[in-house]
Amino acid sequence: MTNELTHQEWTEAQEETTIMVDTHDLTVSYYDEGDTEASENPLVFLHGIPTWSYLWRGVAPAFEDDRRVIAPDFVGYGNSAMHDGFDRSIRAQEQVLDGLVAQLEVDQIDLVAHDIGGGVALRYAAHNPDAVGKLVLSNSIAYDSWPIQFIVDLGLPGTINDMSVDDVDEQLTQMFQSTLIEPDDEFVEAMASRFRSDEGRISLSRNAIATNTSHTTEIDYNAITAETSFIWGENDGFQPIEFAEQLNDDLEDTAGIARLDANHWVPEDRSTAFVDALSSFLE
């Protein structure tokens, strides 16, 4: 991983806006690069838990010559608002996506989403079928596939209250190092560092407790009309490929599953193969 932006450079490239989520005006940071005059839909990349838009460092920039590329940090993550007192569920993050798309005055987007970002994308595509041209899901949550035990434990107030900032930092660092195929120091530092404060420690716990299975089981999957493809790490113990297979069967217009030799963090571990698969689908 030698050509990607550092996480500091990525942060410096981000823009900020304010989006209302429920009754709260929240700061949302987002990466917005590429060809704003492109005739194709903007490509919007959505991250999961406990990552942020830097997850896409090896993928999103590959499309900037031909597309507008947008990658927000969900509220409670990355460089977006982290203070306590607002909802961070995928229901709320759908409002973030909806608000950002409206502010940027974009009529239709192509969505590429990982982990809980996939749940946000599924909700948005079901509720706004005309606004999504193509949908790409990567090791995404769906149905009752989540939350995993690691996230459930982090969301318990009794757990997080007994953990210091250093404890959280160590746990996140070890989790990424043990689940990435070839852990890259810059990437691991980028992911862990966002929560390296008391505000971040609490935010991570609030993000975790907001993982609500009902928000994907309630989706009307029949309402999703976007052409959908799957780029999946087939060795994922967090979101097994069986859920990609179920989605591939259930959604109206699907283009199949690109099965990559990877675990959960596919955009990072297999960025070149991800770009190839995504490019092929978008053609």
Side-chain angles (χ1 to χ4, degrees), residues 2 14 22 42-43 45 67 74 79 146 150 152 155 186 247 275:
T2 57
Q14 287 181 300
D22 301 322
L43 270 178
F45 292 86
R67 293 280 193 114
F74 286 139
N79 294 304
W146 66 305
F150 175 75
V152 171
E186 176 69 23
L247 285 164
V275 169

Side-chain angles (χ1 to χ4, degrees), residues 46-106:
L46 304 180
H47 67 86
I49 186 173
T51 62
W52 54 295
S53 59
Y54 191 65
L55 171 75
W56 300 106
R57 66 172 187 162
V59 176
F63 296 90
E64 290 174 10
D65 287 345
D66 303 309
R67 293 280 193 114
R68 183 179 185 179
V69 169
I70 302 165
D73 291 346
F74 286 139
V75 291
Y77 297 82
N79 294 304
S80 290
M82 275 200 182
H83 60 271
D84 209 3
F86 59 87
D87 185 13
R88 299 103 186 289
S89 68
I90 65 168
R91 180 203 63 82
Q93 308 295 0
E94 182 189 3
Q95 293 182 49
V96 172
L97 175 59
D98 193 39
L100 182 61
V101 169
Q103 284 194 20
L104 297 178
E105 298 182 335
V106 174

